[in-house]
Amino acid sequence: MRVRKLTLAAMALAAGLSLTACQSDDGGTDQGAAPPAASTASSSNGGSGSADSDAAGSDSAGESPNGTGGSGGTGGSGGAGEDGNAAKCSTDELEITAIDATVGGDAEGTVAVDLKNGGGRDCSLAGYAGVDLKTNSGTVSAERTGDPAPRIVLKDGETVTFGITYPMNDSGGSGVRITGLVVTPPDETKSVTLDWPGGSSLPVTDGSGTPVRVGPLGSAGQGG
């Protein structure tokens, strides 16, 4: 009987040790579950970092319009030169016309040429226009009078006039027949050809010099 009691006691002790071991294993399992929770927190922090990067990218993108706007602000100087003065008038911006301005009793004939600014902006002219008369004997280029030629600023719609003088043909002969007038604005290479409104011919000369003279811009009548 004593042996049986000892055996039962030993079995009870073994069962108790087995139960303790199982509880220890369960606890180990619970402890092992903690790392996934920590991993989840780390993932959440990473998402916040991505959001910060997006915000930074948004800030960077916002700088571009400001830069563009600053650059665009320099574009308001249209029609002006670097010194703030009006840019020169181009041939395409000018409406060029010519009329007979000869006054009775004058020894010479006069043609007045108008240059009207039709470019929609202020522009400037300075010096002398180029003037050539087309004739049945070739081209006759006008000579400058040498008078002062100040710079002129034309507002849109304004006009400046200069004069051309030429000898009238009183010889009774046919002379040199004028077929057209070619005007080139100052500092331009593009010309405009007009009908000649003055006397129909020039007297024949010995060819030693031009009989036609042109005044500076702002002059009218007698080339000055």
Side-chain angles (χ1 to χ4, degrees):
M1 291 294 295
R2 181 176 176 82
V3 174
R4 185 177 181 183
K5 287 181 179 180
L6 289 174
T7 301
L8 291 174
M11 292 175 63
L13 178 60
L17 292 174
S18 176
L19 178 60
T20 301
C22 289
Q23 289 177 346
S24 177
D25 291 340
D26 291 342
T29 302
D30 292 339
Q31 291 174 0
S39 176
T40 301
S42 176
S43 175
S44 175
N45 291 336
S48 175
S50 176
D52 291 343
S53 177
D54 290 343
S58 177
D59 291 343
S60 297
E63 293 174 1
S64 178
N66 293 336
T68 301
S71 175
T74 64
S77 62
E82 292 181 359
D83 59 356
N85 295 322
K88 75 169 185 175
C89 304
S90 69
T91 302
D92 291 335
E93 292 178 300
L94 297 171
E95 299 172 17
I96 304 175
T97 56
I99 61 170
D100 184 4
T102 304
V103 177
D106 286 349
E108 294 181 302
T110 302
V111 166
V113 179
D114 290 340
L115 281 67
K116 181 179 180 180
N117 179 9
R121 65 180 179 101
D122 293 357
C123 64
S124 65
L125 292 165
Y128 287 75
V131 171
D132 296 295
L133 270 58
K134 297 170 68 175
T135 76
N136 61 341
S137 298
T139 299
V140 176
S141 296
E143 181 182 276
R144 298 176 179 180
T145 62
D147 294 326
R151 181 174 179 273
I152 297 171
V153 175
L154 286 181
K155 295 186 179 297
D156 185 39
E158 287 186 344
T159 299
V160 64
T161 304
F162 68 87
I164 302 168
T165 59
Y166 62 97
M168 292 184 283
N169 181 20
D170 296 327
S171 65
S174 59
V176 178
R177 184 167 56 86
I178 303 172
T179 60
L181 169 64
V182 180
V183 176
T184 308
D187 298 322
E188 282 289 292
T189 57
K190 185 176 182 179
S191 302
V192 174
T193 300
L194 308 172
D195 292 334
W196 172 251
S200 61
S201 64
L202 299 173
V204 177
T205 65
D206 58 8
S208 59
T210 177
V212 183
R213 291 163 61 85
V214 57
L217 297 174
S219 68
Q222 304 306 316

